[in-house]
Amino acid sequence: VSIVFENEDIVLVNKPAGLVIHPCHGHYSDTLLSYLAWHYRLLPEQPLLCPIGRLDKDTSGLILIAKNKYAAQQLERQRANHTLSRVYLALAEGHWTNQSKSGLIDRPIEKVPECFNRYQVADTGRPSRTEYEVLSEFTYTETPFSLVRLKLQTGRTHQIRVHMASLSHPLLGDSIYGHEGFLGFDRAALHSFEITCQLPGHQDLAVFSSEMPEDFQKMIAESKKLSSTLIW
């Protein structure tokens, strides 16, 4: 478990891609919560371990976990009033020629009927809003792709993946909304990059960030248009 920050109320973990958070079918002991429970096994009293928000199995990056009921209530309240915010990085297909490189995607999302794990933009869906900004554009083996910064205003299942696909820029490797294995990516290229929140019992905002994941760095480094202006 890669712990970024911890105090008596929360633990902030940098989750690797491919790891599920909760035990589920096919994953009973190989989960983030199982690993954390093992990490805290020698404590006299086991912490609550309540994830605030969710990350898909293939999404890497920061996940905030409350260690007691008080912290969970405080952080869920911040999620509801948008004091707690999350910023993601994504690698997406294509360049943004003749498209705005920043803006707000305000498109309702609903579950696709009779589909187990697929969602779509639809007028009858729940309100869904994602802020986006194209940070840089690259080309690898004559194939264009982009690095995009995304901030959630709402938190629907697959929201970023659905919204990006609706703009004709699905995430690299997204087997549901894009093209499986695109440019060699074996997962949807999404990373939870930054979390801003008030730590329980504190008034000031705390900002936590993580490094760009290794597969992102490798793809950008190997591209033909590595930008020297990006600083992380």
Side-chain angles (χ1 to χ4, degrees):
V1 177
S2 177
I3 294 177
V4 176
F5 174 85
E6 182 177 16
N7 63 14
E8 66 276 10
D9 292 313
I10 69 162
V11 56
L12 187 70
V13 177
N14 191 18
K15 185 186 87 67
L19 180 65
V20 299
I21 294 175
H22 297 275
C24 60
H25 179 70
H27 298 278
Y28 299 105
S29 60
D30 57 334
T31 71
L32 179 61
L33 293 185
S34 299
Y35 294 155
L36 282 174
W38 175 259
H39 178 74
Y40 293 120
R41 69 193 183 281
L42 299 180
L43 293 181
E45 184 176 346
Q46 292 291 302
L48 175 67
L49 298 181
C50 177
I52 307 302
R54 60 181 178 267
L55 293 181
D56 292 341
K57 174 185 174 182
D58 287 342
T59 302
S60 59
L62 299 179
I63 178 73
L64 186 61
I65 299 173
K67 295 168 66 177
N68 54 62
K69 186 175 181 180
Y70 165 75
Q73 291 174 339
Q74 293 293 313
L75 292 168
E76 286 294 351
R77 187 175 296 119
Q78 290 182 42
R79 273 220 310 162
N81 63 24
H82 304 293
T83 306
L84 189 154
S85 66
R86 292 163 290 166
V87 173
Y88 292 78
L89 294 178
L91 295 181
E93 296 183 22
H95 290 168
W96 295 68
T97 307
N98 300 323
Q99 287 178 280
S100 176
K101 293 187 177 182
S102 63
L104 175 67
I105 310 170
D106 187 359
R107 298 180 177 180
I109 292 174
E110 68 177 11
K111 192 175 185 298
V112 176
E114 301 181 2
C115 270
F116 169 66
N117 196 31
R118 189 182 182 95
Y119 296 79
Q120 64 185 359
V121 168
D123 292 338
T124 54
R126 301 173 67 189
S128 307
R129 294 177 297 277
T130 306
E131 299 173 33
Y132 75 94
E133 179 187 3
V134 179
L135 298 179
S136 196
E137 297 178 325
F138 306 94
T139 300
Y140 179 66
T141 60
E142 300 184 0
T143 303
F145 70 97
S146 307
L147 175 65
V148 186
R149 179 185 186 272
L150 302 122
K151 183 176 181 180
L152 295 178
Q153 290 190 4
T154 57
R156 311 301 177 211
T157 302
H158 292 185
Q159 178 174 317
I160 288 175
R161 296 166 66 183
V162 172
H163 272 171
M164 290 297 289
S166 76
L167 296 182
S168 300
H169 294 286
L171 305 189
L172 302 192
D174 193 332
S175 60
I176 298 179
Y177 306 104
H179 303 91
E180 185 175 3
F182 194 87
L183 285 181
F185 259 77
D186 59 359
R187 67 173 179 116
L190 186 62
H191 179 71
S192 175
F193 172 64
E194 183 180 279
I195 292 178
T196 300
C197 67
Q198 289 177 321
L199 298 179
H202 295 74
Q203 294 297 319
D204 295 336
L205 287 176
V207 181
F208 301 98
S209 60
S210 62
E211 291 186 358
M212 192 186 299
E214 185 176 346
D215 51 357
F216 279 43
Q217 294 187 44
K218 182 179 178 181
M219 178 56 62
I220 292 173
E222 291 180 353
S223 71
K224 294 181 179 180
K225 291 184 178 179
L226 178 61
S227 171
S228 62
T229 59
L230 283 177
I231 300 174
W232 301 99

